[in-house]
Amino acid sequence: MDSIHIYGGNLLRGETRIQGSKNAVLPILAATLLIKGSCVIKNCPRIADVYHMQNLLQGLGCPVSWAGNTITVNTAQANDNRMSGESVTRMRSSVMLLGAMLGRMGEAVMSYPGGCVIGKRPIDIHLTALRKMGVEIVEEDQMFTAHAPRLQGAEVKLPFPSVGATENVILAAVLAEGTTILENAAKEPEIVALCEFLTEAGADMEGIGSGRLVIRGVEGLHEVKYTVPADRIVAGTYMAAAMAAGGSIFLEQAPADQLGAVLEAAEKMGCCVTINKEGIGIDVLRRLKALPYLKTEVYDGFPTDLQSPMMVVMALAEGQGILEENIFENRFRVVGDLGKMGADIEIVKNKAYIKGVETLTGTVVEAEELRGGAALAVAGMAAVGRTVIKNRHFIERGYENICRDLRELGADISIG
Ligand code: EPZ
């Protein structure tokens, strides 16, 4: 069965190691297309989205091999510039191959990645930026052809610091003719990881981690060995599990320097947080106090990917709180299932009005997307009785083995 079974209501105790970052490794895998040769990427999470990116690269003529959590991609013989509609629509982050294919082959034929349950997720910002770099884009029905015999460096100012659009501009700029100045770039840690990877391969860029990137095109890039940083969203999800269920856990490798907004919220609610070079410890010895107001923002604000797990924490805290979603237009899908478990949450436009309850009760619920599914696992850890989460495959898109990890933290959890 494609489900997870949890017997909740127990305090969490234990430690687990945080996996490599999904949202860092996906653009890095796309970036290997810019390097004619073999790249070795360590600490790569074995998750569905990575396997899908692997299939896309193999479809472009790039052999891929695994050894544990090390993936090797050889793009020397990359020979295609077409990606089938289904493969692109199945995973939105395939759109990152657009910039890489333009940089490598000068052409890309792909379908619009399409939306998902959390939002329409257009790529207008990507396409406008790439047009400024000399890319001609011919749209036909659901497909489009992007063509650029030689990408030109340009001054690009994004209307919104889109993570994906920033990544696509970076991928198109590193081998372009001339210099690209990217203003209002996204500053998420995953962008920094991509820039570090490309710099190690010989790219020439300044302003890494800032909202203004200067990228000087170079003639070519060379092979790289790179280690993927830990996944801040997975770490934040497991912090939410302890905050909801109570207990005392330690998250090895958790990147505290990337979780400032989350750690601040946790301490405000009454958690005792310990940070050292090994990771993050969190002790939750009594019921948390509600956060009156929390909103999602671009980095380094509170991350939208932790909004649903945090909603569970707030649903169990003492008092009332408002959780505002500002990045995606439909990211409250999990509220219905949390209500079935006893949560008291009312949605008005982009705000969730949450009245904390003392307990949630286990029942059968259904994951509809990645982070909402993870939030149901967080709720199941705290809920009294058995929770069955259907559609486990949504969670497996981003969590290498959520059952193994949460079991190491003391949960009674198994796949069904
Ligand atoms: C990345 O998605 C992440 N995915 C998302 O994580 C994350 O939630 C998001 O960044 C924000 O941090 C990966 O890195 C693979 P955006 P992305 O472009 O690049 C709108 C997860 O759970 N927009 O910053 O798609 C868009 O509709 C996933 O791991 C446009 O309107 O995010 C959205 O409302 C979910 N036009 C907002 O901007 C565009 O051309 C943020 O999108 C592009 C984006």
Side-chain angles (χ1 to χ4, degrees):
M1 280 276 287
D2 179 20
S3 63
I4 290 177
H5 294 233
I6 305 172
Y7 290 87
N10 307 313
L11 292 178
L12 296 184
R13 289 214 181 290
E15 57 187 67
T16 191
R17 183 182 175 282
I18 300 300
Q19 71 181 58
S21 167
K22 164 178 94 76
N23 291 349
V25 77
L26 289 173
I28 285 170
L29 286 170
T32 62
L33 211 46
L34 296 167
I35 298 163
K36 291 180 183 166
S38 260
C39 289
V40 178
I41 298 164
K42 297 180 178 175
N43 197 34
C44 183
R46 300 197 75 132
I47 54 178
D49 274 14
V50 165
Y51 294 140
H52 192 59
M53 183 63 85
Q54 169 183 346
N55 293 337
L56 290 173
L57 288 168
Q58 286 169 323
L60 297 173
C62 309
V64 175
S65 61
W66 285 93
N69 280 97
T70 298
I71 186 171
T72 300
V73 185
N74 184 337
T75 66
Q77 307 304 324
N79 56 19
D80 197 349
N81 59 9
R82 301 183 69 84
M83 285 196 294
S84 74
E86 187 275 335
S87 64
V88 173
T89 49
R90 253 190 59 198
M91 183 184 71
R92 180 184 158 75
S93 37
S94 48
V95 74
M96 258 162 263
L97 282 166
L98 174 56
M101 287 165 77
L102 288 168
R104 175 66 183 266
M105 299 120 173
E107 184 163 280
V109 180
M110 61 194 306
S111 68
Y112 286 97
C116 64
V117 292
I118 68 174
K120 292 191 295 296
R121 307 188 74 181
I123 59 168
D124 54 312
I125 300 175
H126 299 239
L127 299 183
T128 304
L130 291 172
R131 284 190 175 101
K132 288 209 177 101
M133 299 176 73
V135 180
E136 291 155 29
I137 293 163
V138 178
E139 310 186 30
E140 312 128 20
D141 302 330
Q142 279 308 310
M143 300 292 285
F144 67 88
T145 301
H147 183 76
R150 186 80 164 100
L151 285 155
Q152 302 300 317
E155 292 197 11
V156 177
K157 184 172 172 56
L158 299 181
F160 172 83
S162 153
V163 170
T166 299
E167 288 162 348
N168 255 331
V169 171
I170 292 168
L171 291 168
V174 288
L175 296 177
E177 196 160 13
T179 298
T180 297
I181 297 176
L182 178 56
E183 305 271 5
N184 201 25
K187 298 184 276 191
E188 274 69 3
E190 295 75 31
I191 308 277
V192 172
L194 174 63
C195 292
E196 284 172 351
F197 173 84
L198 289 166
T199 303
E200 284 189 28
D204 180 356
M205 52 175 84
E206 278 172 36
I208 296 174
S210 78
R212 183 178 188 275
L213 289 171
V214 178
I215 304 164
R216 295 177 194 86
V218 295
E219 280 306 308
L221 300 174
H222 55 74
E223 298 175 337
V224 175
K225 274 193 177 44
Y226 183 76
T227 300
V228 178
D231 191 314
R232 63 190 171 105
I233 303 302
V234 170
T237 304
Y238 297 166
M239 282 177 61
M243 293 165 76
S248 183
I249 65 169
F250 190 79
L251 303 174
E252 289 167 43
Q253 307 287 320
D257 58 326
Q258 300 175 12
L259 285 161
V262 182
L263 293 166
E264 183 185 347
E267 289 183 318
K268 273 183 188 164
M269 297 182 84
C271 300
C272 177
V273 175
T274 312
I275 295 170
N276 61 39
K277 60 184 187 316
E278 277 81 39
I280 298 174
I282 181 163
D283 298 316
V284 184
L285 308 176
R286 65 185 63 79
R287 188 182 179 193
L288 297 181
K289 295 273 182 258
L291 265 186
Y293 176 66
L294 181 66
K295 64 178 178 180
T296 63
E297 300 175 280
V298 297
Y299 195 82
D300 59 358
F302 191 89
T304 176
D305 293 347
L306 287 175
Q307 180 256 97
S308 294
M310 193 60 174
M311 186 179 289
V312 178
V313 176
M314 294 175 72
L316 283 160
E318 186 179 351
Q320 302 189 20
I322 298 171
L323 184 49
E324 181 178 315
E325 171 57 49
N326 293 307
I327 306 297
F328 289 102
E329 66 267 29
N330 194 23
R331 206 167 197 178
F332 288 140
R333 309 279 300 196
V334 72
V335 169
D337 274 318
L338 294 180
K340 280 172 63 180
M341 298 177 75
D344 183 347
I345 304 169
E346 186 191 351
I347 303 299
V348 179
K349 294 186 180 155
N350 69 327
K351 289 186 178 70
Y353 293 83
I354 304 164
K355 288 180 186 152
V357 295
E358 292 217 17
T359 54
L360 294 177
T361 306
T363 184
V364 179
V365 292
E366 288 197 28
E368 291 185 55
E369 39 86 21
L370 168 57
R371 304 303 176 184
L376 290 172
V378 171
M381 314 285 286
V384 174
R386 186 179 77 147
T387 299
V388 177
I389 304 171
K390 294 183 172 178
N391 303 331
R392 182 180 77 238
H393 63 275
F394 282 116
I395 302 173
E396 289 171 337
R397 286 191 50 197
Y399 296 80
E400 186 173 71
N401 192 331
I402 197 166
C403 289
R404 170 200 66 199
D405 296 348
L406 293 177
R407 204 175 299 124
E408 288 174 351
L409 297 177
D412 181 349
I413 182 171
S414 58
I415 58 175

Coordinates of all heavy atoms in Angstrom, one line a residue, residues 42-85:
K42 N 28.1 14.2 -4.0 CA 28.0 13.4 -2.8 C 26.8 13.9 -1.9 O 26.4 15.0 -2.1 CB 29.3 13.4 -1.9 CG 30.5 12.8 -2.7 CD 31.7 12.9 -1.9 CE 32.9 12.3 -2.6 NZ 34.2 12.4 -1.8
N43 N 26.4 13.1 -1.0 CA 25.3 13.4 -0.1 C 24.0 13.7 -0.8 O 23.2 14.6 -0.4 CB 25.7 14.6 0.9 CG 24.7 14.7 2.1 OD1 24.3 13.6 2.6 ND2 24.4 15.9 2.5
C44 N 23.8 13.0 -1.9 CA 22.6 13.3 -2.8 C 21.5 12.5 -2.2 O 21.6 11.2 -2.1 CB 22.9 12.8 -4.2 SG 21.6 13.2 -5.3
P45 N 20.3 13.1 -1.9 CA 19.2 12.3 -1.3 C 18.6 11.4 -2.4 O 18.5 11.8 -3.5 CB 18.2 13.4 -0.9 CG 18.5 14.6 -1.8 CD 20.0 14.5 -2.1
R46 N 18.3 10.2 -1.9 CA 17.7 9.2 -2.9 C 16.1 9.4 -2.8 O 15.4 8.7 -2.0 CB 18.1 7.8 -2.5 CG 19.6 7.6 -2.6 CD 20.0 6.2 -2.6 NE 19.8 5.6 -3.9 CZ 20.7 4.8 -4.6 NH1 21.9 4.6 -4.1 NH2 20.4 4.3 -5.8
I47 N 15.6 10.4 -3.5 CA 14.2 10.8 -3.5 C 13.7 10.8 -4.9 O 14.4 10.8 -5.9 CB 14.1 12.2 -2.9 CG1 15.0 13.2 -3.6 CG2 14.4 12.1 -1.4 CD1 14.8 14.6 -3.1
A48 N 12.4 10.7 -5.0 CA 11.7 10.6 -6.3 C 12.1 11.7 -7.2 O 12.3 11.5 -8.4 CB 10.2 10.5 -6.1
D49 N 12.2 12.9 -6.7 CA 12.5 14.1 -7.6 C 13.9 14.0 -8.2 O 14.1 14.4 -9.4 CB 12.3 15.4 -6.9 CG 10.9 15.9 -6.9 OD1 10.0 15.1 -7.3 OD2 10.6 17.1 -6.6
V50 N 14.8 13.4 -7.5 CA 16.2 13.2 -8.0 C 16.1 12.1 -9.0 O 16.8 12.2 -10.1 CB 17.2 12.9 -6.9 CG1 18.5 12.3 -7.4 CG2 17.4 14.1 -6.0
Y51 N 15.4 11.0 -8.8 CA 15.3 9.9 -9.8 C 14.7 10.5 -11.1 O 15.1 10.1 -12.2 CB 14.5 8.8 -9.2 CG 15.1 8.1 -8.0 CD1 14.4 7.7 -6.9 CD2 16.5 7.9 -8.0 CE1 14.9 7.0 -5.8 CE2 17.1 7.2 -6.9 CZ 16.3 6.8 -5.8 OH 16.9 6.2 -4.7
H52 N 13.8 11.4 -10.9 CA 13.1 11.9 -12.1 C 14.1 12.8 -12.9 O 14.2 12.7 -14.1 CB 11.9 12.7 -11.7 CG 11.0 13.1 -12.9 ND1 10.5 12.1 -13.7 CD2 10.7 14.3 -13.4 CE1 9.8 12.7 -14.7 NE2 9.9 14.0 -14.5
M53 N 14.9 13.6 -12.2 CA 15.9 14.4 -12.9 C 16.9 13.5 -13.5 O 17.4 13.7 -14.6 CB 16.6 15.4 -11.9 CG 17.6 16.3 -12.4 SD 16.9 17.5 -13.7 CE 16.4 18.8 -12.6
Q54 N 17.2 12.4 -12.8 CA 18.2 11.4 -13.4 C 17.6 10.9 -14.8 O 18.3 10.8 -15.8 CB 18.3 10.2 -12.5 CG 19.0 9.0 -13.0 CD 19.1 7.8 -12.0 OE1 18.9 8.0 -10.8 NE2 19.5 6.7 -12.5
N55 N 16.3 10.6 -14.8 CA 15.7 10.1 -16.0 C 15.8 11.1 -17.1 O 16.0 10.8 -18.3 CB 14.2 9.7 -15.8 CG 14.1 8.5 -14.9 OD1 15.1 7.7 -14.7 ND2 13.0 8.4 -14.2
L56 N 15.6 12.4 -16.8 CA 15.6 13.5 -17.8 C 17.0 13.6 -18.3 O 17.2 13.7 -19.6 CB 15.2 14.8 -17.1 CG 13.7 14.9 -16.7 CD1 13.5 16.3 -16.0 CD2 12.8 14.9 -18.0
L57 N 18.0 13.5 -17.5 CA 19.4 13.6 -17.9 C 19.8 12.4 -18.8 O 20.4 12.5 -19.9 CB 20.4 13.7 -16.8 CG 20.4 15.0 -16.0 CD1 21.1 14.9 -14.7 CD2 21.0 16.2 -16.9
Q58 N 19.3 11.2 -18.4 CA 19.6 10.0 -19.2 C 18.9 10.1 -20.6 O 19.5 9.8 -21.6 CB 19.1 8.8 -18.5 CG 20.1 8.4 -17.3 CD 19.5 7.3 -16.3 OE1 18.3 7.3 -16.1 NE2 20.3 6.5 -15.8
G59 N 17.7 10.8 -20.6 CA 17.0 10.9 -21.8 C 17.7 11.9 -22.8 O 17.5 11.9 -24.0
L60 N 18.6 12.7 -22.2 CA 19.4 13.7 -23.0 C 20.7 13.1 -23.4 O 21.6 13.7 -23.9 CB 19.6 15.0 -22.2 CG 18.3 15.8 -21.9 CD1 18.7 17.0 -21.0 CD2 17.6 16.2 -23.2
G61 N 20.9 11.8 -23.1 CA 22.2 11.1 -23.5 C 23.3 11.1 -22.4 O 24.4 10.9 -22.7
C62 N 22.9 11.3 -21.2 CA 23.9 11.4 -20.1 C 23.8 10.2 -19.2 O 22.8 10.1 -18.4 CB 23.7 12.7 -19.3 SG 23.5 14.2 -20.2
P63 N 24.8 9.3 -19.2 CA 24.8 8.2 -18.3 C 24.8 8.7 -16.8 O 25.6 9.6 -16.5 CB 26.0 7.4 -18.6 CG 26.4 7.9 -20.0 CD 26.0 9.3 -20.1
V64 N 24.1 8.0 -15.9 CA 24.0 8.4 -14.5 C 24.3 7.1 -13.7 O 23.7 6.1 -14.0 CB 22.7 9.0 -14.1 CG1 22.6 9.3 -12.6 CG2 22.5 10.3 -14.9
S65 N 25.1 7.2 -12.7 CA 25.3 6.0 -11.8 C 25.3 6.4 -10.3 O 25.5 7.6 -10.0 CB 26.6 5.3 -12.1 OG 27.7 6.2 -11.9
W66 N 25.0 5.5 -9.5 CA 24.9 5.7 -8.0 C 25.9 4.8 -7.3 O 26.2 3.7 -7.7 CB 23.5 5.3 -7.5 CG 22.4 6.3 -7.8 CD1 21.5 6.2 -8.9 CD2 22.0 7.4 -7.1 NE1 20.6 7.3 -8.8 CE2 20.9 8.0 -7.7 CE3 22.5 8.0 -5.9 CZ2 20.2 9.1 -7.2 CZ3 21.8 9.1 -5.4 CH2 20.7 9.7 -6.0
A67 N 26.4 5.3 -6.2 CA 27.1 4.5 -5.2 C 26.7 5.0 -3.8 O 27.2 6.1 -3.4 CB 28.6 4.6 -5.4
G68 N 25.7 4.4 -3.2 CA 25.2 4.9 -1.9 C 24.5 6.2 -2.2 O 23.6 6.3 -3.0
N69 N 24.9 7.3 -1.5 CA 24.3 8.6 -1.7 C 25.2 9.5 -2.7 O 25.1 10.7 -2.6 CB 24.1 9.4 -0.4 CG 22.8 8.9 0.3 OD1 22.9 8.0 1.2 ND2 21.7 9.3 -0.1
T70 N 26.1 8.8 -3.4 CA 26.9 9.5 -4.4 C 26.4 9.3 -5.8 O 26.3 8.1 -6.2 CB 28.4 9.1 -4.3 OG1 28.8 9.5 -3.0 CG2 29.2 9.8 -5.3
I71 N 26.1 10.3 -6.5 CA 25.6 10.2 -7.9 C 26.6 10.7 -8.8 O 27.2 11.8 -8.6 CB 24.2 10.9 -8.1 CG1 23.6 10.6 -9.4 CG2 24.3 12.4 -7.8 CD1 22.2 11.1 -9.6
T72 N 26.9 10.0 -9.9 CA 27.9 10.5 -10.9 C 27.1 10.7 -12.3 O 26.4 9.8 -12.7 CB 29.0 9.5 -11.1 OG1 29.7 9.3 -9.9 CG2 30.0 10.0 -12.2
V73 N 27.3 11.9 -12.8 CA 26.6 12.2 -14.1 C 27.7 12.5 -15.2 O 28.5 13.3 -14.9 CB 25.7 13.4 -13.9 CG1 24.9 13.7 -15.2 CG2 24.7 13.3 -12.8
N74 N 27.6 11.8 -16.3 CA 28.5 12.0 -17.4 C 27.8 12.6 -18.6 O 27.0 12.0 -19.2 CB 29.2 10.7 -17.8 CG 30.3 11.0 -18.9 OD1 30.2 12.0 -19.6 ND2 31.2 10.1 -19.0
T75 N 28.1 13.9 -18.8 CA 27.3 14.6 -19.8 C 28.1 14.8 -21.1 O 27.7 15.5 -22.0 CB 26.9 16.0 -19.4 OG1 28.1 16.8 -19.2 CG2 26.2 16.0 -18.0
A76 N 29.3 14.1 -21.2 CA 30.1 14.3 -22.4 C 29.4 14.0 -23.7 O 29.6 14.7 -24.7 CB 31.3 13.3 -22.2
Q77 N 28.5 13.1 -23.7 CA 27.8 12.7 -24.9 C 26.4 13.3 -25.0 O 25.6 12.7 -25.8 CB 27.7 11.1 -25.0 CG 29.1 10.4 -24.9 CD 30.1 10.9 -25.8 OE1 29.8 11.3 -27.0 NE2 31.4 11.1 -25.4
A78 N 26.1 14.3 -24.2 CA 24.7 14.8 -24.2 C 24.3 15.1 -25.7 O 25.1 15.8 -26.4 CB 24.6 16.1 -23.4
N79 N 23.2 14.6 -26.1 CA 23.0 14.7 -27.6 C 21.5 15.0 -27.9 O 21.1 14.9 -29.0 CB 23.2 13.3 -28.2 CG 22.4 12.2 -27.5 OD1 21.4 12.5 -26.9 ND2 22.8 11.0 -27.6
D80 N 20.8 15.5 -27.0 CA 19.4 15.8 -27.3 C 19.0 17.1 -26.7 O 19.6 17.5 -25.7 CB 18.4 14.6 -26.9 CG 17.1 14.7 -27.6 OD1 16.8 15.7 -28.3 OD2 16.3 13.8 -27.5
N81 N 18.0 17.7 -27.3 CA 17.5 19.0 -26.6 C 16.0 19.0 -26.5 O 15.4 20.0 -26.3 CB 18.0 20.2 -27.5 CG 17.4 20.1 -28.9 OD1 16.5 19.2 -29.1 ND2 17.8 20.9 -29.8
R82 N 15.5 17.8 -26.5 CA 14.0 17.7 -26.4 C 13.7 17.0 -25.1 O 14.3 16.0 -24.8 CB 13.4 16.9 -27.6 CG 13.7 17.5 -29.0 CD 13.0 16.7 -30.0 NE 11.5 16.9 -29.9 CZ 10.9 18.0 -30.5 NH1 11.6 18.9 -31.1 NH2 9.6 18.1 -30.4
M83 N 12.6 17.5 -24.4 CA 12.2 16.7 -23.3 C 10.7 16.5 -23.5 O 9.9 17.4 -23.8 CB 12.4 17.5 -22.0 CG 13.9 17.5 -21.6 SD 14.0 18.0 -19.9 CE 13.6 19.7 -20.0
S84 N 10.3 15.3 -23.3 CA 8.9 15.0 -23.6 C 7.9 15.7 -22.6 O 8.3 16.0 -21.5 CB 8.7 13.4 -23.4 OG 8.6 13.2 -22.0
G85 N 6.7 15.9 -23.1 CA 5.8 16.7 -22.3 C 5.5 16.1 -20.9 O 5.6 16.7 -19.9

